[in-house]
Amino acid sequence: ISAEKEYEKLQTEIAELEDQIDAALSGGGGRFLLYGGSGGRIDHFLANLQLIAHASREGLNAILVCPDFDAYALTDGALRLPGAPKGTLLSVFCLGEDAQGVSLSGLKYPLNNARLTAFHALGVSNAHTGAPVEICVQSGTLLVLDYAPGGVKG
């Protein structure tokens, strides 16, 4: 397949996903789940992270469901996850402008009213303690990568 045709195909797929986000919003919101968007090429994976961030900023509960982890986008709100086995990894990153009022509980390294930026990896490689997890952000968008077994939970 030529590079031009591959680019056109990708643009069509992205437009279709954006249409699905718009349809979810016009249907009253809720959850936006994107399956299988982590394999293959890193640029496509990053594009899918941007899509769930967009969906989250529009008010949807946006999740990229991957074989080894789930990626949640969270904007101006809270995400609650059930407990996972102690030591299971969970990372939190800022997407875009600084995330203000970030609090993490139920994890090995809690935070209280912190500021996360897109240029400092303060939230990487945290771990479940077995307790339920709550992630809150007062202002901004977070990316949460949860390696807990069992698939989508949020």
Side-chain angles (χ1 to χ4, degrees):
I1 188 168
S2 73
E4 185 174 315
K5 289 203 183 283
E6 185 173 330
Y7 179 78
E8 289 172 7
K9 180 181 175 206
L10 176 61
Q11 293 305 309
T12 299
E13 290 171 358
I14 290 172
E16 289 171 357
L17 288 170
E18 288 174 343
D19 288 345
Q20 291 174 8
I21 291 170
D22 291 342
L25 288 167
S26 67
R31 282 167 54 147
F32 177 78
L33 302 174
L34 179 57
Y35 289 88
S38 66
R41 293 175 35 184
I42 190 71
D43 54 338
H44 291 198
F45 174 58
L46 291 171
N48 288 330
L49 293 176
Q50 287 180 316
L51 283 170
I52 66 167
H54 166 68
S56 176
R57 288 178 182 200
E58 294 296 323
L60 296 173
N61 179 0
I63 307 165
L64 176 61
V65 181
C66 305
D68 298 323
F69 61 92
D70 293 324
Y72 299 83
L74 173 65
T75 302
D76 302 344
L79 173 66
R80 291 168 188 83
L81 300 170
K86 185 176 180 179
T88 301
L89 293 178
L90 183 143
S91 292
V92 179
F93 301 94
C94 175
L95 292 176
E97 300 296 322
D98 291 0
Q100 304 286 345
V102 176
S103 296
L104 309 175
S105 63
L107 296 169
K108 183 175 182 178
Y109 305 108
L111 285 177
N112 186 24
N113 201 31
R115 178 175 65 95
L116 297 184
T117 75
F119 304 103
H120 185 69
L122 178 65
V124 71
S125 293
N126 209 327
H128 283 266
T129 62
V133 171
E134 183 172 47
I135 299 164
C136 300
V137 58
Q138 291 177 3
S139 175
T141 300
L142 299 176
L143 169 66
V144 178
L145 301 179
D146 185 14
Y147 291 84
V152 173
K153 296 159 283 305

mmCIF file of all heavy atoms in Angstrom, residues 1 3-22 32 34 44 47-48 51:
data_model
loop_
_atom_site.group_PDB
_atom_site.id
_atom_site.type_symbol
_atom_site.label_atom_id
_atom_site.label_comp_id
_atom_site.label_asym_id
_atom_site.label_seq_id
_atom_site.Cartn_x
_atom_site.Cartn_y
_atom_site.Cartn_z
ATOM 1 N N ILE A 1 0.859 -1.181 0.000
ATOM 2 C CA ILE A 1 0.000 0.000 0.000
ATOM 3 C C ILE A 1 0.905 1.244 0.000
ATOM 4 O O ILE A 1 1.903 1.299 0.714
ATOM 5 C CB ILE A 1 -0.959 -0.020 1.210
ATOM 6 C CG1 ILE A 1 -1.970 1.097 1.110
ATOM 7 C CG2 ILE A 1 -0.195 0.077 2.502
ATOM 8 C CD1 ILE A 1 -3.107 0.975 2.104
ATOM 9 N N ALA A 3 2.179 5.109 0.594
ATOM 10 C CA ALA A 3 2.118 5.997 1.758
ATOM 11 C C ALA A 3 0.908 6.919 1.678
ATOM 12 O O ALA A 3 0.253 7.193 2.694
ATOM 13 C CB ALA A 3 3.408 6.802 1.866
ATOM 14 N N GLU A 4 0.591 7.378 0.471
ATOM 15 C CA GLU A 4 -0.549 8.273 0.294
ATOM 16 C C GLU A 4 -1.862 7.566 0.619
ATOM 17 O O GLU A 4 -2.718 8.113 1.311
ATOM 18 C CB GLU A 4 -0.586 8.796 -1.141
ATOM 19 C CG GLU A 4 -1.663 9.831 -1.367
ATOM 20 C CD GLU A 4 -1.592 10.439 -2.746
ATOM 21 O OE1 GLU A 4 -0.477 10.791 -3.180
ATOM 22 O OE2 GLU A 4 -2.652 10.553 -3.366
ATOM 23 N N LYS A 5 -2.013 6.335 0.163
ATOM 24 C CA LYS A 5 -3.234 5.578 0.453
ATOM 25 C C LYS A 5 -3.330 5.249 1.942
ATOM 26 O O LYS A 5 -4.416 5.278 2.521
ATOM 27 C CB LYS A 5 -3.298 4.312 -0.390
ATOM 28 C CG LYS A 5 -3.560 4.585 -1.859
ATOM 29 C CD LYS A 5 -4.159 3.366 -2.514
ATOM 30 C CE LYS A 5 -4.360 3.600 -3.991
ATOM 31 N NZ LYS A 5 -5.507 4.412 -4.281
ATOM 32 N N GLU A 6 -2.205 4.926 2.568
ATOM 33 C CA GLU A 6 -2.207 4.641 4.002
ATOM 34 C C GLU A 6 -2.612 5.881 4.787
ATOM 35 O O GLU A 6 -3.380 5.805 5.738
ATOM 36 C CB GLU A 6 -0.829 4.159 4.453
ATOM 37 C CG GLU A 6 -0.812 3.740 5.902
ATOM 38 C CD GLU A 6 0.496 3.109 6.333
ATOM 39 O OE1 GLU A 6 1.177 2.492 5.515
ATOM 40 O OE2 GLU A 6 0.818 3.259 7.518
ATOM 41 N N TYR A 7 -2.104 7.053 4.380
ATOM 42 C CA TYR A 7 -2.461 8.299 5.035
ATOM 43 C C TYR A 7 -3.960 8.569 4.885
ATOM 44 O O TYR A 7 -4.633 8.935 5.853
ATOM 45 C CB TYR A 7 -1.652 9.458 4.455
ATOM 46 C CG TYR A 7 -1.979 10.788 5.072
ATOM 47 C CD1 TYR A 7 -1.474 11.127 6.318
ATOM 48 C CD2 TYR A 7 -2.813 11.693 4.423
ATOM 49 C CE1 TYR A 7 -1.783 12.344 6.906
ATOM 50 C CE2 TYR A 7 -3.130 12.918 5.004
ATOM 51 C CZ TYR A 7 -2.613 13.232 6.239
ATOM 52 O OH TYR A 7 -2.934 14.427 6.823
ATOM 53 N N GLU A 8 -4.493 8.382 3.685
ATOM 54 C CA GLU A 8 -5.922 8.595 3.452
ATOM 55 C C GLU A 8 -6.761 7.644 4.308
ATOM 56 O O GLU A 8 -7.779 8.040 4.879
ATOM 57 C CB GLU A 8 -6.252 8.402 1.973
ATOM 58 C CG GLU A 8 -5.716 9.500 1.082
ATOM 59 C CD GLU A 8 -5.889 9.193 -0.408
ATOM 60 O OE1 GLU A 8 -6.541 8.179 -0.745
ATOM 61 O OE2 GLU A 8 -5.374 9.971 -1.215
ATOM 62 N N LYS A 9 -6.335 6.382 4.398
ATOM 63 C CA LYS A 9 -7.047 5.405 5.218
ATOM 64 C C LYS A 9 -7.048 5.823 6.683
ATOM 65 O O LYS A 9 -8.081 5.765 7.363
ATOM 66 C CB LYS A 9 -6.399 4.031 5.060
ATOM 67 C CG LYS A 9 -7.072 2.945 5.863
ATOM 68 C CD LYS A 9 -6.366 1.610 5.687
ATOM 69 C CE LYS A 9 -7.010 0.586 6.612
ATOM 70 N NZ LYS A 9 -6.145 -0.476 6.978
ATOM 71 N N LEU A 10 -5.897 6.255 7.184
ATOM 72 C CA LEU A 10 -5.803 6.691 8.575
ATOM 73 C C LEU A 10 -6.703 7.893 8.829
ATOM 74 O O LEU A 10 -7.401 7.944 9.845
ATOM 75 C CB LEU A 10 -4.354 7.020 8.931
ATOM 76 C CG LEU A 10 -4.131 7.584 10.335
ATOM 77 C CD1 LEU A 10 -4.568 6.574 11.394
ATOM 78 C CD2 LEU A 10 -2.694 7.979 10.532
ATOM 79 N N GLN A 11 -6.690 8.859 7.931
ATOM 80 C CA GLN A 11 -7.526 10.049 8.104
ATOM 81 C C GLN A 11 -9.005 9.678 8.115
ATOM 82 O O GLN A 11 -9.791 10.242 8.882
ATOM 83 C CB GLN A 11 -7.223 11.084 7.014
ATOM 84 C CG GLN A 11 -5.827 11.676 7.124
ATOM 85 C CD GLN A 11 -5.555 12.274 8.494
ATOM 86 O OE1 GLN A 11 -6.324 13.072 9.011
ATOM 87 N NE2 GLN A 11 -4.456 11.862 9.096
ATOM 88 N N THR A 12 -9.395 8.702 7.297
ATOM 89 C CA THR A 12 -10.777 8.230 7.280
ATOM 90 C C THR A 12 -11.126 7.570 8.609
ATOM 91 O O THR A 12 -12.192 7.827 9.179
ATOM 92 C CB THR A 12 -10.993 7.237 6.118
ATOM 93 O OG1 THR A 12 -10.727 7.913 4.884
ATOM 94 C CG2 THR A 12 -12.411 6.692 6.106
ATOM 95 N N GLU A 13 -10.218 6.735 9.135
ATOM 96 C CA GLU A 13 -10.468 6.062 10.412
ATOM 97 C C GLU A 13 -10.591 7.077 11.546
ATOM 98 O O GLU A 13 -11.469 6.949 12.405
ATOM 99 C CB GLU A 13 -9.358 5.057 10.705
ATOM 100 C CG GLU A 13 -9.373 3.855 9.793
ATOM 101 C CD GLU A 13 -8.160 2.960 9.942
ATOM 102 O OE1 GLU A 13 -7.250 3.282 10.748
ATOM 103 O OE2 GLU A 13 -8.105 1.944 9.239
ATOM 104 N N ILE A 14 -9.725 8.078 11.557
ATOM 105 C CA ILE A 14 -9.787 9.103 12.600
ATOM 106 C C ILE A 14 -11.096 9.880 12.496
ATOM 107 O O ILE A 14 -11.760 10.137 13.502
ATOM 108 C CB ILE A 14 -8.558 10.031 12.532
ATOM 109 C CG1 ILE A 14 -7.319 9.257 12.979
ATOM 110 C CG2 ILE A 14 -8.758 11.280 13.388
ATOM 111 C CD1 ILE A 14 -6.019 9.993 12.769
ATOM 112 N N ALA A 15 -11.492 10.233 11.288
ATOM 113 C CA ALA A 15 -12.754 10.956 11.101
ATOM 114 C C ALA A 15 -13.932 10.115 11.577
ATOM 115 O O ALA A 15 -14.867 10.639 12.211
ATOM 116 C CB ALA A 15 -12.931 11.339 9.634
ATOM 117 N N GLU A 16 -13.902 8.804 11.317
ATOM 118 C CA GLU A 16 -14.975 7.922 11.776
ATOM 119 C C GLU A 16 -15.019 7.864 13.297
ATOM 120 O O GLU A 16 -16.101 7.876 13.893
ATOM 121 C CB GLU A 16 -14.796 6.522 11.190
ATOM 122 C CG GLU A 16 -15.090 6.451 9.701
ATOM 123 C CD GLU A 16 -14.711 5.121 9.065
ATOM 124 O OE1 GLU A 16 -14.163 4.243 9.762
ATOM 125 O OE2 GLU A 16 -14.964 4.961 7.860
ATOM 126 N N LEU A 17 -13.853 7.796 13.945
ATOM 127 C CA LEU A 17 -13.823 7.789 15.408
ATOM 128 C C LEU A 17 -14.341 9.109 15.979
ATOM 129 O O LEU A 17 -15.080 9.112 16.970
ATOM 130 C CB LEU A 17 -12.408 7.506 15.913
ATOM 131 C CG LEU A 17 -11.934 6.067 15.729
ATOM 132 C CD1 LEU A 17 -10.442 5.965 16.030
ATOM 133 C CD2 LEU A 17 -12.721 5.126 16.622
ATOM 134 N N GLU A 18 -13.973 10.211 15.357
ATOM 135 C CA GLU A 18 -14.474 11.506 15.817
ATOM 136 C C GLU A 18 -15.987 11.594 15.628
ATOM 137 O O GLU A 18 -16.688 12.152 16.469
ATOM 138 C CB GLU A 18 -13.745 12.637 15.097
ATOM 139 C CG GLU A 18 -12.310 12.774 15.571
ATOM 140 C CD GLU A 18 -11.483 13.789 14.794
ATOM 141 O OE1 GLU A 18 -11.896 14.186 13.676
ATOM 142 O OE2 GLU A 18 -10.418 14.178 15.303
ATOM 143 N N ASP A 19 -16.508 11.012 14.545
ATOM 144 C CA ASP A 19 -17.962 10.953 14.342
ATOM 145 C C ASP A 19 -18.626 10.129 15.444
ATOM 146 O O ASP A 19 -19.713 10.465 15.913
ATOM 147 C CB ASP A 19 -18.307 10.355 12.974
ATOM 148 C CG ASP A 19 -17.999 11.295 11.817
ATOM 149 O OD1 ASP A 19 -17.792 12.511 12.061
ATOM 150 O OD2 ASP A 19 -17.966 10.809 10.659
ATOM 151 N N GLN A 20 -17.983 9.042 15.856
ATOM 152 C CA GLN A 20 -18.532 8.218 16.931
ATOM 153 C C GLN A 20 -18.539 8.980 18.260
ATOM 154 O O GLN A 20 -19.482 8.846 19.043
ATOM 155 C CB GLN A 20 -17.754 6.910 17.057
ATOM 156 C CG GLN A 20 -17.978 5.986 15.878
ATOM 157 C CD GLN A 20 -17.093 4.754 15.923
ATOM 158 O OE1 GLN A 20 -16.410 4.497 16.904
ATOM 159 N NE2 GLN A 20 -17.110 3.993 14.841
ATOM 160 N N ILE A 21 -17.512 9.773 18.499
ATOM 161 C CA ILE A 21 -17.490 10.624 19.697
ATOM 162 C C ILE A 21 -18.652 11.605 19.645
ATOM 163 O O ILE A 21 -19.385 11.767 20.619
ATOM 164 C CB ILE A 21 -16.142 11.365 19.827
ATOM 165 C CG1 ILE A 21 -15.019 10.370 20.155
ATOM 166 C CG2 ILE A 21 -16.227 12.466 20.889
ATOM 167 C CD1 ILE A 21 -13.631 10.960 20.062
ATOM 168 N N ASP A 22 -18.846 12.254 18.495
ATOM 169 C CA ASP A 22 -19.955 13.199 18.341
ATOM 170 C C ASP A 22 -21.301 12.509 18.542
ATOM 171 O O ASP A 22 -22.212 13.068 19.158
ATOM 172 C CB ASP A 22 -19.899 13.873 16.971
ATOM 173 C CG ASP A 22 -18.716 14.814 16.824
ATOM 174 O OD1 ASP A 22 -18.141 15.223 17.855
ATOM 175 O OD2 ASP A 22 -18.349 15.121 15.671
ATOM 176 N N PHE A 32 -17.208 6.231 26.296
ATOM 177 C CA PHE A 32 -16.651 6.048 24.964
ATOM 178 C C PHE A 32 -15.506 5.058 25.109
ATOM 179 O O PHE A 32 -14.493 5.357 25.739
ATOM 180 C CB PHE A 32 -16.142 7.373 24.376
ATOM 181 C CG PHE A 32 -15.503 7.212 23.030
ATOM 182 C CD1 PHE A 32 -16.288 7.063 21.900
ATOM 183 C CD2 PHE A 32 -14.129 7.194 22.897
ATOM 184 C CE1 PHE A 32 -15.706 6.903 20.653
ATOM 185 C CE2 PHE A 32 -13.533 7.033 21.653
ATOM 186 C CZ PHE A 32 -14.332 6.891 20.530
ATOM 187 N N LEU A 34 -12.750 2.597 23.235
ATOM 188 C CA LEU A 34 -12.015 2.358 21.999
ATOM 189 C C LEU A 34 -11.174 1.112 22.212
ATOM 190 O O LEU A 34 -10.319 1.080 23.098
ATOM 191 C CB LEU A 34 -11.133 3.570 21.672
ATOM 192 C CG LEU A 34 -10.260 3.489 20.428
ATOM 193 C CD1 LEU A 34 -11.099 3.216 19.179
ATOM 194 C CD2 LEU A 34 -9.480 4.789 20.262
ATOM 195 N N HIS A 44 0.043 5.831 15.820
ATOM 196 C CA HIS A 44 -1.396 5.554 15.876
ATOM 197 C C HIS A 44 -1.863 5.453 17.328
ATOM 198 O O HIS A 44 -2.956 5.917 17.669
ATOM 199 C CB HIS A 44 -1.715 4.260 15.138
ATOM 200 C CG HIS A 44 -1.530 4.383 13.659
ATOM 201 N ND1 HIS A 44 -2.088 3.486 12.777
ATOM 202 C CD2 HIS A 44 -0.863 5.282 12.897
ATOM 203 C CE1 HIS A 44 -1.767 3.830 11.540
ATOM 204 N NE2 HIS A 44 -1.015 4.915 11.607
ATOM 205 N N ALA A 47 -2.208 8.912 18.605
ATOM 206 C CA ALA A 47 -3.421 9.510 18.040
ATOM 207 C C ALA A 47 -4.657 9.024 18.801
ATOM 208 O O ALA A 47 -5.579 9.804 19.068
ATOM 209 C CB ALA A 47 -3.547 9.184 16.559
ATOM 210 N N ASN A 48 -4.683 7.749 19.171
ATOM 211 C CA ASN A 48 -5.816 7.218 19.930
ATOM 212 C C ASN A 48 -5.881 7.815 21.330
ATOM 213 O O ASN A 48 -6.968 8.061 21.859
ATOM 214 C CB ASN A 48 -5.758 5.694 19.979
ATOM 215 C CG ASN A 48 -6.091 5.085 18.631
ATOM 216 O OD1 ASN A 48 -6.848 5.656 17.862
ATOM 217 N ND2 ASN A 48 -5.515 3.945 18.347
ATOM 218 N N LEU A 51 -7.491 11.041 20.898
ATOM 219 C CA LEU A 51 -8.937 10.889 20.706
ATOM 220 C C LEU A 51 -9.671 10.709 22.028
ATOM 221 O O LEU A 51 -10.722 11.313 22.247
ATOM 222 C CB LEU A 51 -9.236 9.709 19.785
ATOM 223 C CG LEU A 51 -9.014 9.957 18.298
ATOM 224 C CD1 LEU A 51 -9.099 8.642 17.530
ATOM 225 C CD2 LEU A 51 -10.035 10.955 17.769
#
